[in-house]
């Protein structure tokens, strides 16, 4: 029953899925050590990216930090266990960073941002009872989100990988639209706000779809040319 959920529950769920997303990405990368698991590896990595992007997106809004102070006693009750979990994940990221099992040209960037996100989550877990740091973490998560989207665009275009480009494009679209509404909602009355939001959403949807189709066609043609020249 959704009525039973409060800010504390939502906060715990977001922390759990953020960490779980990084675990899936790291485990997926390790699967590349065995060729027969290569397809499974990509699936793990993509699911991990979806989870991390979604939770990062949530934490780009200051309202998402409401209720976190109530969660502090639960998350910080056993700091040794939390530290062990994060060290374990960090070791997996370190292995991927050193050995590059996926043979990715952007391996350093991929695992550096994964480690950055993990570090931010760990730091926030340790400082979750101190509300005065929430604005700092809000800024950090905004920077990490934008950095991750730029990285997905870069890797997607370089590899002609439309899945990554689509993830980045959809996230950018919703980020801009919802941020616009979040920033200007207090400056306009409700009627004008919803009218402007509707117009912006409609115009943005049309432009986004046109851009997405153009990009998809271009990347398909470039990929076909590359494969034909092999």
């Amino acid at each position: 029953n959704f009525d039973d959920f409060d800010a504390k529950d939502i906060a715990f769920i977001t922390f759990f899925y953020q960490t779980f997303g990084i675990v899936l990405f790291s485990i997926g990368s390790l699967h590349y050590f065995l060729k027969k698991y290569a397809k499974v590896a990509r699936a793990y990595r993509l699911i991990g990216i979806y989870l991390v992007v979604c939770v990062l997106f949530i934490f780009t809004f200051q309202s998402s930090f409401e209720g976190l102070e109530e969660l502090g006693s639960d998350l910080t009750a056993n700091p040794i266990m939390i530290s062990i979990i994060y060290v374990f994940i960090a070791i997996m990221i370190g292995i991927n960073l050193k050995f590059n099992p996926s043979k990715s040209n952007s391996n350093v960037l991929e695992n550096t941002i994964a480690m950055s996100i993990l570090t931010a989550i760990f730091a926030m877990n340790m400082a979750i009872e101190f509300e005065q740091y929430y604005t700092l973490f809000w800024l950090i998560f905004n920077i990490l989100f934008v950095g991750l989207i730029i990285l997905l665009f870069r890797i997607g275009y370089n590899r002609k990988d439309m899945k990554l480009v689509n993830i980045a494009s959809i996230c950018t679209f919703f980020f801009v639209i919802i941020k616009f509404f979040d920033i200007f909602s207090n400056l306009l009355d409700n009627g004008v706000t919803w009218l402007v939001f509707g117009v912006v959403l409609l115009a943005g949807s049309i432009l986004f779809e046109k851009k997405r189709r153009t990009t998809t066609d271009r990347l398909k043609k470039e990929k076909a040319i590359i494969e034909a020249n092999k």
Side-chain angles (χ1 to χ4, degrees), residues 163-219:
K163 286 187 177 180
L164 295 182
V165 173
N166 281 336
I167 293 173
S169 299
I170 292 171
C171 288
T172 301
F173 172 72
F174 281 107
F175 182 73
V176 172
I177 294 295
I178 297 178
K179 276 293 184 181
F180 173 86
F181 181 71
D182 185 52
I183 292 171
F184 292 103
S185 60
N186 294 327
L187 302 180
L188 304 170
D189 61 57
N190 288 336
V192 176
T193 298
W194 285 109
L195 177 62
V196 172
F197 182 69
V199 172
V200 172
L201 182 61
L202 178 61
S205 299
I206 295 172
L207 292 174
F208 170 75
E209 183 58 24
K210 285 184 177 180
K211 179 65 176 176
R212 191 190 69 81
R213 288 183 179 181
T214 302
T215 303
T216 300
D217 293 339
R218 180 168 63 82
L219 290 182

Side-chain angles (χ1 to χ4, degrees), residues 13-203:
I13 290 171
T14 52
F15 272 116
F16 171 79
Y17 280 109
Q18 180 78 295
T19 306
F20 187 53
I22 296 176
V23 169
L24 284 178
F25 180 82
S26 302
I27 290 176
S29 299
L30 293 176
H31 274 65
Y32 280 108
F33 278 119
L34 298 174
K35 291 183 179 180
K36 63 180 180 179
Y37 294 125
K39 291 184 178 179
V40 177
R42 177 168 169 76
Y44 273 118
R45 282 159 62 95
L46 283 174
I47 295 172
I49 290 171
Y50 285 133
L51 288 174
V52 170
V53 167
C54 287
V55 178
L56 272 183
F57 178 76
I58 291 171
F59 279 117
T60 60
F61 299 93
Q62 286 185 307
S63 57
S64 301
F65 290 81
E66 295 177 2
L68 288 184
E69 68 281 355
E70 299 176 16
L71 190 63
S73 59
D74 292 338
L75 281 180
T76 57
N78 196 340
I80 295 178
M81 181 59 68
I82 292 176
S83 298
I84 291 173
I85 292 172
Y86 284 117
V87 167
F88 175 71
I89 301 172
I91 290 173
M92 287 195 294
I93 295 175
I95 292 172
N96 293 325
L97 188 60
K98 181 175 177 59
F99 297 103
N100 190 15
S102 63
K103 307 302 179 187
S104 171
N105 293 328
S106 55
N107 179 62
V108 174
L109 283 174
E110 293 171 16
N111 287 286
T112 297
I113 196 164
M115 186 68 81
S116 299
I117 295 171
L118 180 68
T119 302
I121 298 170
F122 179 72
M124 190 167 179
N125 277 331
M126 294 296 101
I128 199 168
E129 295 180 356
F130 304 99
E131 292 183 60
Q132 63 268 32
Y133 295 120
Y134 284 1
T135 300
L136 173 62
F137 283 112
W138 170 72
L139 289 172
I140 290 173
F141 282 119
N142 271 272
I143 293 170
L144 288 173
F145 178 81
V146 172
L148 180 57
I149 295 305
I150 292 173
L151 180 62
L152 290 174
F153 270 124
R154 175 178 173 177
I155 295 174
Y157 280 120
N158 288 342
R159 296 180 184 173
K160 319 302 178 194
D161 189 335
M162 272 311 299
K163 286 187 177 180
L164 295 182
V165 173
N166 281 336
I167 293 173
S169 299
I170 292 171
C171 288
T172 301
F173 172 72
F174 281 107
F175 182 73
V176 172
I177 294 295
I178 297 178
K179 276 293 184 181
F180 173 86
F181 181 71
D182 185 52
I183 292 171
F184 292 103
S185 60
N186 294 327
L187 302 180
L188 304 170
D189 61 57
N190 288 336
V192 176
T193 298
W194 285 109
L195 177 62
V196 172
F197 182 69
V199 172
V200 172
L201 182 61
L202 178 61

Side-chain angles (χ1 to χ4, degrees), residues 159-160 218-228:
R159 296 180 184 173
K160 319 302 178 194
R218 180 168 63 82
L219 290 182
K220 284 182 178 178
K221 290 178 182 178
E222 291 177 358
K223 190 172 183 178
I225 293 172
I226 292 172
E227 291 179 352

